[in-house]
Amino acid sequence: MTSRSFLPLVLAGAIAMGGVTLVAGPADAARPERTVPVRLLTINDLHGNLEPPSGSASRILDPKGPLVDADGKLTGIVGGRYSIAGGAAYLATHLKQHTGRNTMVVAAGDLIGASPLISAAYHDEPTLDVLGQMGLKASSAGNHEFDEGYTELQRLMKGGCHPVDGCSPAGEWEGTDFDFLGANVLKERNDRYALPPYFVKSVNGVKVGFIGLVTATTPTIVSSSGIQGLKFTEEVAAANKVSRLLARQGVKAQVVLVHEGDQVTPNQDPSACSVTPGNGSRIASGLDPQVDVVVSGHSHQAYVCKTTDPAGQPRYYTQGSSFGRVLTQIDFQVDKRTRDVVRSTVAAANHVVTRDVPEDRAVADSVALWKARSADIANKQVGRITAEIGTTAAPSGELPLGNLIADSQLEATRTGGNAQIAFMNPGGVRMPLNHPSSPAGEGDGVVTYGEAFAVQPFNNLTQVITLTGAQLKTVLEQQFVGGPNNQAFTKILQPSSNFTYTYSRSAPWGSKVSAMKIDGVAVTDTQSIRVAVNNFLVGGGDAFAELKNGTDLWSGPLDIDAFVDYLGKHSPVAPPATDRITVVD
């Protein structure tokens, strides 16, 4: 572990109220002879994606990218400009291309958790190792940093082998070269900080302070057992206490790293500001005027915005998408006399992490090594099946494997998310689970982790939203061509076993769906229903636009974790019937 530059930590309950030093306003011109340039390179929501993400998780709107059609294929017709982005080795190259002598790499949480097999197999030590190679100096904690509990997060920062699984093939874990920060994460018994609340870095004689925050909703979206004894306080008040403390200690240049953000209007330039104001904007505008820049995360969106602080001054507020697809660059000058940021010099932009650059060799080698080490995990048995569970559609459009995945996601989201029904998008079901009785004679009835992972390799999160019965009907109507959502072809969502309905082939769009029932009880237009789907669908993927109007979003486990857990609990698993949807002419 490298040494960290922290000022002495002060107990949360002991930070006194104090005066506030306002930052320089836009009218104050920066004098080059008395200012120091600082560049921040920021990421968020990497989620352990060391290898380049695939499928929809790899695409990002890019004004410089090629025109592609709805399926992401290169095309000369009018479409959108997208790039295939992400991958740790490419991210490392882009970081180096934008790094100067006054550069710091920082992050806004969820760097680990809900991770692909290559990282999750060793409790995300691979990702933390690679982030250390990239020079990460500090990150706010995200809710997913608590997925395996507070004790495990402490181990990852401080070092030591996993208490159950032992050391990884790399040997005893040495800990991180940076800390996860949490100014609003306190120990219930004494209100002491559970995580360092801030990090201070000196740049050419001026100090820059970074205050870390995690969404206050964390207790509702992680396992309660892992955060027993902790409390997550309101973000603005927690940050403002630390901001005043830093100012009194001479740290006037301040940046907040907050794992909370807003949603955006789809299909916008990553550097545009098209946010729908939510918790992220509330925090960004409410922070003490001493805070100069706000770097956000959590909502997996890309934006560069300006908000107004309580003193009426403009303040940048940014986020860099997810999965390592976007790198945010923030430049500003710090006045050496006042030790404060000259607000008029702040500039920010999002850069797409394209794959048209050489991979960073050292990082690529590390990723390849961890991939080889995870091979044993890929071969681990997770369940058994009694017959092939395939991907051939029944006349209703149901896939046996799609129905099984929906059942697994419902089971995984009932507790915590209060899910009542679940749906899986058919395009996310990539490979069948083979069996000796299948026509090809492949498989042995044993399902390995690698085989389960191949079924749905996109590492989507299971999420739960609230829809009315009328909204649910609209979602199901959006399965068919002819509606305003421009569905290119019929895409039947795979339903959980407790949800049934009928659709008509000949009825006009908007009148195709009828007889919706949950556990045999008819659905009414006005009732509220908790619906589990993956984050791809929550974002309106596959032209299911109505799902974006869901409320009370809750995030659960990775879809592959839900699937593997279900296979283990219910083995041997038989192919589910494809009788949940009734079709009439």
Side-chain angles (χ1 to χ4, degrees):
M1 296 175 63
T2 61
S3 60
R4 301 178 173 90
S5 299
F6 292 114
L7 295 180
L9 298 183
V10 179
L11 303 187
I15 299 177
M17 298 291 287
V20 176
T21 302
L22 298 182
V23 296
D28 296 305
R31 297 180 182 177
E33 70 274 12
R34 77 179 199 192
T35 61
V36 173
V38 175
R39 172 170 291 180
L40 304 182
L41 298 178
T42 80
I43 60 173
N44 59 273
D45 296 275
L46 180 63
H47 289 289
N49 277 265
L50 298 180
E51 295 182 284
S54 59
S56 61
S58 69
R59 295 178 65 223
I60 187 75
L61 191 78
D62 181 1
K64 300 178 182 178
L67 283 170
V68 298
D69 64 17
D71 294 320
K73 299 175 182 177
L74 295 177
T75 178
I77 64 173
V78 176
R81 291 193 179 276
Y82 288 84
S83 283
I84 305 301
Y90 296 110
L91 176 59
T93 296
H94 282 271
L95 282 167
K96 287 182 177 179
Q97 289 177 345
H98 291 90
T99 294
R101 53 184 296 215
N102 300 312
T103 302
M104 287 180 285
V105 182
V106 295
D110 274 10
L111 303 180
I112 59 174
S115 303
L117 177 62
I118 186 175
S119 184
Y122 296 107
H123 303 281
D124 282 314
E125 290 175 20
T127 294
L128 297 175
D129 175 54
V130 167
L131 288 170
Q133 293 183 53
M134 292 182 186
L136 183 66
K137 297 299 182 186
S139 176
S140 65
N143 54 285
H144 278 285
E145 266 77 38
F146 294 93
D147 279 354
E148 293 192 50
Y150 171 66
T151 301
E152 171 65 1
L153 179 56
Q154 291 288 94
R155 180 191 75 85
L156 289 172
M157 289 193 292
K158 296 178 180 179
C161 296
H162 191 272
V164 176
D165 295 333
C167 294
S168 80
E172 182 172 352
W173 175 242
E174 295 183 355
T176 56
D177 292 329
F178 62 93
D179 271 327
F180 288 101
L181 311 178
N184 64 327
V185 186
L186 307 179
K187 297 180 179 180
E188 286 183 335
R189 69 178 182 272
N190 56 16
D191 276 354
R192 291 179 182 268
Y193 287 114
L195 296 171
Y198 62 84
F199 170 80
V200 175
K201 176 71 173 178
S202 183
V203 181
N204 285 355
V206 296
K207 294 178 179 179
V208 182
F210 298 87
I211 302 169
L213 299 169
V214 62
T215 173
T217 66
T218 296
T220 69
I221 52 179
V222 301
S223 172
S224 59
S225 61
I227 57 172
Q228 278 188 332
L230 300 181
K231 63 180 180 180
F232 296 78
T233 64
E234 194 275 324
E235 302 94 343
V236 172
N240 287 350
K241 287 181 179 180
V242 178
S243 173
R244 290 189 286 269
L245 168 68
L246 290 176
R248 289 199 303 272
Q249 297 186 352
V251 183
K252 305 293 184 66
Q254 298 181 8
V255 177
V256 162
L257 309 172
V258 54
H259 190 71
E260 181 63 280
D262 290 333
Q263 297 298 319
V264 302
T265 303
N267 300 319
Q268 300 296 306
D269 185 316
S271 289
C273 181
S274 59
V275 301
T276 301
N279 276 334
S281 292
R282 172 186 63 81
I283 295 166
S285 61
L287 291 165
D288 194 291
Q290 188 67 70
V291 174
D292 300 292
V293 176
V294 181
V295 179
S296 69
H298 191 49
S299 58
H300 290 205
Q301 305 299 332
Y303 50 76
V304 175
C305 292
K306 275 187 179 180
T307 187
T308 302
D309 71 21
Q313 301 178 93
R315 178 159 60 199
Y316 270 97
Y317 163 49
T318 69
Q319 188 176 163
S321 185
S322 61
F323 306 148
R325 294 175 294 172
V326 169
L327 173 66
T328 305
Q329 176 182 325
I330 305 170
D331 291 293
F332 54 83
Q333 298 280 332
V334 178
D335 190 305
K336 291 186 286 188
R337 179 179 58 83
T338 66
R339 294 172 293 179
D340 216 338
V341 171
V342 181
R343 205 65 85 81
S344 60
T345 66
V346 183
N350 277 332
H351 304 298
V352 174
V353 179
T354 57
R355 301 180 192 171
D356 57 357
V357 298
E359 291 183 297
D360 182 270
R361 192 70 264 150
V363 170
D365 288 346
S366 292
V367 172
L369 180 60
W370 283 111
K371 184 176 181 179
R373 288 168 172 167
S374 65
D376 288 344
I377 307 298
N379 295 327
K380 181 181 178 180
Q381 178 177 333
V382 297
R384 298 187 66 88
I385 54 177
T386 63
E388 177 184 330
I389 305 180
T391 55
T392 301
S396 65
E398 296 171 74
L399 317 175
L401 192 48
N403 283 0
L404 181 65
I405 292 171
D407 290 341
S408 73
Q409 294 188 4
L410 176 60
E411 183 169 295
T413 55
R414 281 190 184 275
T415 300
N418 300 315
Q420 296 169 269
I421 58 175
F423 295 103
M424 176 63 186
N425 54 306
V429 186
R430 311 301 292 182
M431 298 287 289
L433 290 177
N434 292 310
H435 187 271
S437 63
S438 65
E442 298 174 344
D444 55 7
V446 171
V447 181
T448 66
Y449 190 95
E451 289 169 338
F453 195 84
V455 168
Q456 44 177 7
F458 300 115
N459 295 296
N460 287 317
L461 294 173
T462 58
Q463 296 187 312
V464 184
I465 55 176
T466 297
L467 299 175
T468 66
Q471 287 178 307
L472 177 58
K473 183 178 185 301
T474 298
V475 170
L476 297 179
E477 292 285 344
Q478 289 177 339
Q479 298 174 120
F480 307 101
V481 296
N485 57 318
N486 295 318
Q487 189 68 271
F489 53 90
T490 296
K491 297 177 182 177
I492 299 298
L493 293 171
Q494 311 295 292
S496 54
S497 62
N498 65 333
F499 180 73
T500 60
Y501 71 97
T502 298
Y503 75 78
S504 168
R505 292 191 182 97
S506 59
W509 194 94
S511 300
K512 288 183 172 292
V513 175
S514 62
M516 297 186 300
K517 295 181 179 179
I518 299 175
D519 295 319
V521 179
V523 172
T524 67
D525 285 348
T526 58
Q527 78 181 89
S528 294
I529 305 163
R530 294 290 284 164
V531 181
V533 285
N534 60 43
N535 61 282
F536 170 68
L537 287 172
V538 168
D542 278 346
F544 287 99
E546 186 63 27
L547 288 172
K548 293 190 294 183
N549 296 323
T551 60
D552 301 321
L553 177 68
W554 178 89
S555 294
L558 206 64
D559 53 7
I560 180 61
D561 292 339
F563 188 48
V564 166
D565 187 60
Y566 189 90
L567 290 171
K569 289 180 179 178
H570 297 276
S571 286
V573 177
T578 52
D579 58 357
R580 303 171 187 184
I581 303 172
T582 300
V583 183
V584 297
D585 292 329

